[in-house]
Amino acid sequence: MMHYEHLIKNYKGDAIYDKAVVEKAKLLLKQKKYKDVLSMKEELIKAKDANASEAKQTLNKAALSQMILNLKNDKCKDALWLIDEFGLKIPPKHEDALYTCYSRLSKHKKAFELAQKHLKQKDLKKRLAWMSKALNSLIKLRRYKEALMLAKDIEALRSVLKTDKYKDTIYQLFKAYAMMQDSEGAIKTAKKIADEFKDDFRSIEVYDKV
């Protein structure tokens, strides 16, 4: 590291400087010091010629790694800032956490767009999970007609999979009916809730509305 620091100090404006900056950043990346690499952004983006591509690649790797750490540590604002700042493409295995961050920060449109990409998943269990997420976002966006249709699709897929998972989607179904002022649908759904969720505290709100 001291070698690179020496070159950076004494060869500014030279190709040697650019190479030293890139090599220092690569070493910091290897040491998982992602924030230190990101702090070198201005120097890295100024790298020229043969060093430019490697500088950009190193910077983006550090940004992606730090973003993933932020997601894991519930630092949603920091994670989303890095995504926007560097135009990061999110690895699929981290999209659940990204959806949670979007929802937590009330970025419901982006949350829905993320969930929507998965609504034709071949894995039906994964599809069902993303359908549930999309439904939550649609309710937040007050897109009740679409929410109503999706809630019915969730019920149909649950039946196919013979699972009780996401059974409480019925509360979202009730809300969609209620917000659309569909009394018949709301009452029918409320009766089903009374039968299946009579001890659930969420049912109290349902009973108050019918």
Side-chain angles (χ1 to χ4, degrees), residues 136-199:
N136 289 330
S137 297
L138 285 172
I139 292 292
K140 294 291 186 182
L141 291 166
R142 300 181 181 182
R143 291 162 59 175
Y144 300 117
K145 187 174 181 179
E146 292 168 80
L148 185 62
M149 294 170 63
L150 184 56
K152 290 179 179 179
D153 288 344
I154 289 172
E155 287 301 299
L157 184 53
R158 281 186 56 248
S159 179
V160 169
L161 293 173
K162 297 180 180 178
T163 178
D164 284 336
K165 210 167 184 182
Y166 309 109
K167 190 176 180 180
D168 59 355
T169 293
I170 195 169
Y171 287 103
Q172 303 286 37
L173 181 62
F174 172 80
K175 186 167 186 176
Y177 275 128
M179 297 306 295
M180 291 176 65
Q181 298 183 330
D182 185 333
S183 299
E184 184 179 347
I187 291 171
K188 183 179 179 180
T189 306
K191 287 179 179 178
K192 192 172 180 181
I193 288 172
D195 290 338
E196 298 181 15
F197 296 91
K198 61 181 179 180
D199 297 324

Side-chain angles (χ1 to χ4, degrees), residues 36-83:
D36 289 345
V37 178
L38 296 174
S39 72
M40 296 175 63
K41 178 184 175 184
E42 293 305 315
E43 296 103 302
L44 287 165
I45 61 176
K46 290 177 183 176
K48 300 174 184 176
D49 303 325
N51 296 306
S53 177
E54 202 168 12
K56 183 178 180 181
Q57 187 179 52
T58 302
L59 188 60
N60 285 342
K61 282 182 178 179
L64 181 61
S65 297
Q66 184 60 47
M67 185 277 299
I68 290 170
L69 277 180
N70 289 340
L71 285 179
K72 288 180 178 178
N73 294 318
D74 293 326
K75 295 182 178 179
C76 290
K77 286 184 179 179
D78 293 339
L80 298 189
W81 183 85
L82 286 169
I83 291 170

Side-chain angles (χ1 to χ4, degrees), residues 77-138:
K77 286 184 179 179
D78 293 339
L80 298 189
W81 183 85
L82 286 169
I83 291 170
D84 291 339
E85 181 71 9
F86 293 92
L88 300 176
K89 185 176 180 181
I90 314 304
K93 66 180 179 179
H94 298 293
E95 288 184 324
D96 274 333
L98 179 59
Y99 176 87
T100 299
C101 275
Y102 279 144
S103 297
R104 188 173 295 164
L105 296 177
S106 297
K107 295 182 179 292
H108 301 301
K109 185 177 180 181
K110 285 192 173 183
F112 174 70
E113 288 171 352
L114 177 60
Q116 191 177 35
K117 293 193 307 179
H118 297 277
L119 297 186
K120 294 189 182 297
Q121 279 254 14
K122 289 184 178 180
D123 184 320
L124 295 183
K125 289 182 179 178
K126 289 182 179 179
R127 182 190 299 187
L128 182 60
W130 280 106
M131 287 170 76
S132 178
K133 290 179 173 65
L135 176 61
N136 289 330
S137 297
L138 285 172

